[in-house]
Amino acid sequence: MTLRPPADPATARPARIVAVKGMNDILPPESARWEWLEDTVRRLMARYAYRNLRTPIVEPTGLFVRGLGEVTDIVEKEMYSFEDRLNGDSLTLRPESTAGVVRAVTEHSMLYDGGKRLYYMGPMFRHERPQRGRYRQFHQIGAEALGFGGAEVDAELILLAAALWRELGLRDVRLELNSLGQPDERKAHRAALIAHLEQHADVLDEDARRRLHSNPLRILDTKNPAMQAVVEAAPRMMDFLGEASRAHFAAVRAILDANGIAYRINPRLVRGMDYYNLTVFEFVTDRLGSQGTICGGGRYDYLIEQIGGKPAPAVGWALGVERVLELLKEQGDSHAALAPDVYAILPDAGLFPQALRTIETLRAAGVAVQMHAGAGEGPGSMKSQFKKADASGAAHALVFGPDEFAAGEVTLKALRGDVSDGVLRQRRLPLAEAAVWAATLQSPTS
Ligand code: ATP
Ligand code: MG
């Protein structure tokens, strides 16, 4: 293992270190869109009474092997696992958060006094081939309702996601819905499915053949065009549902119908993890190529028990933040409002102490102030400072010039807006009353 970067022979400086492939820096102004999305989510979650839960990024590897299933893409080939230096335990960067949420809920006996509605946001890690909408560090926002068994909570979660698309202004998203039934119903379906696939063994690809007896359901999810016909003709889970499972599905649908939520039943929707039962769903778009799933979820009534907790039903979803933002961009929405209210022009270093006191007063009153700062050789000319002020997008410049300062004042200059309102474009304001006139500088969003 080498940790020291080699020197670049051309410059003799150490070679540049760049980010790990598939892991992205999120820079301003792009990061403002992320903050806006996160703020929107927080407000919405509060309205649905979902509470924030934060779990570690690193978990014991066994949590995912047991929780997600051994024969899943994630566990088979996408996990970043490593050994704990001290005791040799296998640890993994979380590839998703449902397993971690279930572990935390169990570990802290959170269901002792009834069900809990929770949400999380954060980075996930999967060793996939990086491409548009598919990264090795990506971000999910998820909502989970644990300890509730009724179809009304499945529906509530779908309504919550639909409300989020509305709040974000996201269009062109459709809902696909399926039911995977209960384990015994799946067993019967599985047997029929294997029999069907065995009859067409000649068209199965290597992946499908390997999964034929370990995880045949996942074969239905194949993207291989050569297998489409066989998969299309495969026995449908829907036909194996018992009465209770059918009733649960009908109850979810009735709530969606009553709320005007359109959906398509997709009998081949199976989801990537083994832990789902009954309702599963995805929100998909055609506008992001083959990375078209922006949100997926479903019921996982047996996961808590599988991870060692007291059996309890649960349901949830997770959305991909990068894909949602990409889709918004695709629609032409731009939510990056990074301009400060005021750009502070400081031509005289001797006035910094008093000027900063005024700037701090404005900030405390809620005004967004960007202070001019040079790269090291003094404050720079007025002209260059005004150029920066213009580029910042600020509505106003506050000029802390020596003349006005001597009079106990500062000059406020409008940088944007209507040029004809000449009288208002420049005026002097008393430094001592900054807390009072601050209110006139604050934009409604800051
Ligand atoms: P896909 O079929 O696209 O691989 P998935 O079924 O593996 O998705 P989930 O595990 O259900 O995805 O995760 C929920 C959401 O997280 C996905 O719908 C997607 O929006 C997002 N997501 C999953 N993997 C990635 C990734 N590698 N990069 C970016 N977003 C991702
Ligand atoms: Mg995947």
mmCIF file of all heavy atoms in Angstrom, residues 293-318:
data_model
loop_
_atom_site.group_PDB
_atom_site.id
_atom_site.type_symbol
_atom_site.label_atom_id
_atom_site.label_comp_id
_atom_site.label_asym_id
_atom_site.label_seq_id
_atom_site.Cartn_x
_atom_site.Cartn_y
_atom_site.Cartn_z
ATOM 1 N N THR A 293 -35.385 4.454 -12.547
ATOM 2 C CA THR A 293 -36.088 4.302 -11.267
ATOM 3 C C THR A 293 -35.592 5.366 -10.308
ATOM 4 O O THR A 293 -34.421 5.385 -9.955
ATOM 5 C CB THR A 293 -35.839 2.901 -10.670
ATOM 6 O OG1 THR A 293 -36.172 1.942 -11.653
ATOM 7 C CG2 THR A 293 -36.686 2.683 -9.435
ATOM 8 N N ILE A 294 -36.487 6.242 -9.878
ATOM 9 C CA ILE A 294 -36.021 7.284 -8.956
ATOM 10 C C ILE A 294 -36.340 6.935 -7.503
ATOM 11 O O ILE A 294 -35.729 7.468 -6.604
ATOM 12 C CB ILE A 294 -36.585 8.680 -9.310
ATOM 13 C CG1 ILE A 294 -38.104 8.702 -9.237
ATOM 14 C CG2 ILE A 294 -36.114 9.119 -10.693
ATOM 15 C CD1 ILE A 294 -38.642 10.114 -9.178
ATOM 16 N N CYS A 295 -37.281 6.014 -7.318
ATOM 17 C CA CYS A 295 -37.672 5.684 -5.942
ATOM 18 C C CYS A 295 -38.245 4.274 -5.928
ATOM 19 O O CYS A 295 -38.989 3.895 -6.836
ATOM 20 C CB CYS A 295 -38.726 6.681 -5.464
ATOM 21 S SG CYS A 295 -39.411 6.355 -3.831
ATOM 22 N N GLY A 296 -37.890 3.492 -4.927
ATOM 23 C CA GLY A 296 -38.427 2.134 -4.847
ATOM 24 C C GLY A 296 -38.683 1.752 -3.410
ATOM 25 O O GLY A 296 -38.014 2.246 -2.495
ATOM 26 N N GLY A 297 -39.662 0.890 -3.225
ATOM 27 C CA GLY A 297 -39.928 0.473 -1.860
ATOM 28 C C GLY A 297 -40.941 -0.642 -1.786
ATOM 29 O O GLY A 297 -41.327 -1.223 -2.797
ATOM 30 N N GLY A 298 -41.369 -0.919 -0.579
ATOM 31 C CA GLY A 298 -42.349 -1.964 -0.381
ATOM 32 C C GLY A 298 -42.393 -2.405 1.063
ATOM 33 O O GLY A 298 -41.750 -1.820 1.936
ATOM 34 N N ARG A 299 -43.180 -3.455 1.266
ATOM 35 C CA ARG A 299 -43.380 -3.980 2.617
ATOM 36 C C ARG A 299 -42.312 -5.023 2.918
ATOM 37 O O ARG A 299 -41.872 -5.758 2.034
ATOM 38 C CB ARG A 299 -44.793 -4.582 2.671
ATOM 39 C CG ARG A 299 -45.271 -4.912 4.050
ATOM 40 C CD ARG A 299 -46.784 -5.011 4.134
ATOM 41 N NE ARG A 299 -47.369 -3.758 4.581
ATOM 42 C CZ ARG A 299 -47.234 -3.270 5.820
ATOM 43 N NH1 ARG A 299 -46.543 -3.923 6.740
ATOM 44 N NH2 ARG A 299 -47.787 -2.129 6.150
ATOM 45 N N TYR A 300 -41.826 -5.025 4.145
ATOM 46 C CA TYR A 300 -40.814 -6.016 4.554
ATOM 47 C C TYR A 300 -41.122 -6.523 5.957
ATOM 48 O O TYR A 300 -40.431 -6.254 6.921
ATOM 49 C CB TYR A 300 -39.392 -5.426 4.427
ATOM 50 C CG TYR A 300 -39.155 -4.097 5.108
ATOM 51 C CD1 TYR A 300 -38.657 -4.043 6.407
ATOM 52 C CD2 TYR A 300 -39.413 -2.896 4.465
ATOM 53 C CE1 TYR A 300 -38.437 -2.829 7.044
ATOM 54 C CE2 TYR A 300 -39.200 -1.682 5.095
ATOM 55 C CZ TYR A 300 -38.708 -1.657 6.377
ATOM 56 O OH TYR A 300 -38.493 -0.453 7.004
ATOM 57 N N ASP A 301 -42.185 -7.313 6.036
ATOM 58 C CA ASP A 301 -42.704 -7.747 7.335
ATOM 59 C C ASP A 301 -41.819 -8.759 8.068
ATOM 60 O O ASP A 301 -42.044 -9.028 9.242
ATOM 61 C CB ASP A 301 -44.101 -8.352 7.151
ATOM 62 C CG ASP A 301 -45.115 -7.301 6.705
ATOM 63 O OD1 ASP A 301 -44.919 -6.117 7.013
ATOM 64 O OD2 ASP A 301 -46.104 -7.671 6.035
ATOM 65 N N TYR A 302 -40.841 -9.349 7.368
ATOM 66 C CA TYR A 302 -40.040 -10.396 8.016
ATOM 67 C C TYR A 302 -38.617 -9.967 8.286
ATOM 68 O O TYR A 302 -37.818 -10.714 8.855
ATOM 69 C CB TYR A 302 -40.079 -11.670 7.155
ATOM 70 C CG TYR A 302 -41.506 -12.098 6.915
ATOM 71 C CD1 TYR A 302 -42.168 -11.757 5.733
ATOM 72 C CD2 TYR A 302 -42.224 -12.760 7.914
ATOM 73 C CE1 TYR A 302 -43.500 -12.094 5.534
ATOM 74 C CE2 TYR A 302 -43.557 -13.103 7.733
ATOM 75 C CZ TYR A 302 -44.193 -12.762 6.545
ATOM 76 O OH TYR A 302 -45.509 -13.096 6.371
ATOM 77 N N LEU A 303 -38.252 -8.754 7.880
ATOM 78 C CA LEU A 303 -36.856 -8.317 8.012
ATOM 79 C C LEU A 303 -36.434 -8.110 9.463
ATOM 80 O O LEU A 303 -35.337 -8.478 9.864
ATOM 81 C CB LEU A 303 -36.624 -7.042 7.192
ATOM 82 C CG LEU A 303 -35.189 -6.511 7.204
ATOM 83 C CD1 LEU A 303 -34.222 -7.537 6.621
ATOM 84 C CD2 LEU A 303 -35.089 -5.199 6.432
ATOM 85 N N ILE A 304 -37.326 -7.530 10.247
ATOM 86 C CA ILE A 304 -36.969 -7.237 11.639
ATOM 87 C C ILE A 304 -36.602 -8.536 12.358
ATOM 88 O O ILE A 304 -35.575 -8.633 13.027
ATOM 89 C CB ILE A 304 -38.125 -6.496 12.347
ATOM 90 C CG1 ILE A 304 -38.382 -5.157 11.631
ATOM 91 C CG2 ILE A 304 -37.829 -6.294 13.833
ATOM 92 C CD1 ILE A 304 -39.539 -4.337 12.198
ATOM 93 N N GLU A 305 -37.437 -9.537 12.146
ATOM 94 C CA GLU A 305 -37.181 -10.839 12.764
ATOM 95 C C GLU A 305 -35.875 -11.445 12.248
ATOM 96 O O GLU A 305 -35.078 -12.000 13.000
ATOM 97 C CB GLU A 305 -38.363 -11.765 12.447
ATOM 98 C CG GLU A 305 -38.266 -13.114 13.095
ATOM 99 C CD GLU A 305 -39.532 -13.956 12.841
ATOM 100 O OE1 GLU A 305 -40.382 -13.527 12.038
ATOM 101 O OE2 GLU A 305 -39.635 -15.029 13.453
ATOM 102 N N GLN A 306 -35.652 -11.285 10.956
ATOM 103 C CA GLN A 306 -34.457 -11.869 10.335
ATOM 104 C C GLN A 306 -33.181 -11.251 10.893
ATOM 105 O O GLN A 306 -32.124 -11.872 10.929
ATOM 106 C CB GLN A 306 -34.527 -11.581 8.843
ATOM 107 C CG GLN A 306 -33.785 -12.567 7.993
ATOM 108 C CD GLN A 306 -34.239 -12.384 6.544
ATOM 109 O OE1 GLN A 306 -35.438 -12.354 6.250
ATOM 110 N NE2 GLN A 306 -33.297 -12.224 5.657
ATOM 111 N N ILE A 307 -33.284 -10.008 11.323
ATOM 112 C CA ILE A 307 -32.108 -9.326 11.854
ATOM 113 C C ILE A 307 -32.019 -9.521 13.368
ATOM 114 O O ILE A 307 -31.124 -9.028 14.033
ATOM 115 C CB ILE A 307 -32.146 -7.845 11.381
ATOM 116 C CG1 ILE A 307 -31.725 -7.816 9.911
ATOM 117 C CG2 ILE A 307 -31.290 -6.929 12.202
ATOM 118 C CD1 ILE A 307 -31.838 -6.484 9.249
ATOM 119 N N GLY A 308 -32.923 -10.306 13.913
ATOM 120 C CA GLY A 308 -32.817 -10.666 15.321
ATOM 121 C C GLY A 308 -33.747 -9.908 16.246
ATOM 122 O O GLY A 308 -33.611 -9.982 17.467
ATOM 123 N N GLY A 309 -34.669 -9.161 15.673
ATOM 124 C CA GLY A 309 -35.614 -8.406 16.509
ATOM 125 C C GLY A 309 -36.889 -9.177 16.747
ATOM 126 O O GLY A 309 -37.110 -10.253 16.183
ATOM 127 N N LYS A 310 -37.733 -8.619 17.593
ATOM 128 C CA LYS A 310 -39.044 -9.201 17.837
ATOM 129 C C LYS A 310 -39.886 -8.961 16.588
ATOM 130 O O LYS A 310 -39.951 -7.839 16.105
ATOM 131 C CB LYS A 310 -39.661 -8.466 19.043
ATOM 132 C CG LYS A 310 -40.817 -9.188 19.662
ATOM 133 C CD LYS A 310 -41.164 -8.545 21.002
ATOM 134 C CE LYS A 310 -42.663 -8.631 21.208
ATOM 135 N NZ LYS A 310 -43.314 -7.397 21.545
ATOM 136 N N PRO A 311 -40.511 -10.008 16.042
ATOM 137 C CA PRO A 311 -41.217 -9.856 14.772
ATOM 138 C C PRO A 311 -42.165 -8.664 14.767
ATOM 139 O O PRO A 311 -42.928 -8.468 15.719
ATOM 140 C CB PRO A 311 -42.003 -11.161 14.645
ATOM 141 C CG PRO A 311 -41.290 -12.138 15.508
ATOM 142 C CD PRO A 311 -40.609 -11.355 16.596
ATOM 143 N N ALA A 312 -42.087 -7.863 13.703
ATOM 144 C CA ALA A 312 -42.997 -6.723 13.539
ATOM 145 C C ALA A 312 -43.035 -6.373 12.061
ATOM 146 O O ALA A 312 -42.022 -6.466 11.375
ATOM 147 C CB ALA A 312 -42.512 -5.532 14.369
ATOM 148 N N PRO A 313 -44.208 -5.965 11.579
ATOM 149 C CA PRO A 313 -44.324 -5.609 10.166
ATOM 150 C C PRO A 313 -43.680 -4.248 9.894
ATOM 151 O O PRO A 313 -43.475 -3.470 10.811
ATOM 152 C CB PRO A 313 -45.837 -5.534 9.954
ATOM 153 C CG PRO A 313 -46.384 -5.177 11.304
ATOM 154 C CD PRO A 313 -45.470 -5.823 12.315
ATOM 155 N N ALA A 314 -43.387 -3.984 8.630
ATOM 156 C CA ALA A 314 -42.785 -2.695 8.277
ATOM 157 C C ALA A 314 -42.910 -2.456 6.779
ATOM 158 O O ALA A 314 -43.119 -3.392 5.998
ATOM 159 C CB ALA A 314 -41.315 -2.661 8.678
ATOM 160 N N VAL A 315 -42.814 -1.188 6.402
ATOM 161 C CA VAL A 315 -42.906 -0.818 4.991
ATOM 162 C C VAL A 315 -42.130 0.477 4.791
ATOM 163 O O VAL A 315 -42.027 1.284 5.724
ATOM 164 C CB VAL A 315 -44.401 -0.706 4.556
ATOM 165 C CG1 VAL A 315 -45.205 0.178 5.484
ATOM 166 C CG2 VAL A 315 -44.555 -0.222 3.121
ATOM 167 N N GLY A 316 -41.538 0.656 3.604
ATOM 168 C CA GLY A 316 -40.759 1.872 3.387
ATOM 169 C C GLY A 316 -40.338 2.061 1.943
ATOM 170 O O GLY A 316 -40.641 1.223 1.090
ATOM 171 N N TRP A 317 -39.706 3.187 1.674
ATOM 172 C CA TRP A 317 -39.140 3.427 0.341
ATOM 173 C C TRP A 317 -37.853 4.222 0.445
ATOM 174 O O TRP A 317 -37.577 4.817 1.496
ATOM 175 C CB TRP A 317 -40.114 4.123 -0.605
ATOM 176 C CG TRP A 317 -40.766 5.431 -0.183
ATOM 177 C CD1 TRP A 317 -42.092 5.618 0.065
ATOM 178 C CD2 TRP A 317 -40.161 6.740 -0.015
ATOM 179 N NE1 TRP A 317 -42.338 6.935 0.390
ATOM 180 C CE2 TRP A 317 -41.177 7.649 0.335
ATOM 181 C CE3 TRP A 317 -38.858 7.224 -0.131
ATOM 182 C CZ2 TRP A 317 -40.937 9.011 0.582
ATOM 183 C CZ3 TRP A 317 -38.614 8.586 0.111
ATOM 184 C CH2 TRP A 317 -39.650 9.455 0.453
ATOM 185 N N ALA A 318 -37.095 4.208 -0.647
ATOM 186 C CA ALA A 318 -35.891 5.042 -0.725
ATOM 187 C C ALA A 318 -35.838 5.670 -2.104
ATOM 188 O O ALA A 318 -36.151 5.024 -3.103
ATOM 189 C CB ALA A 318 -34.643 4.201 -0.482
#
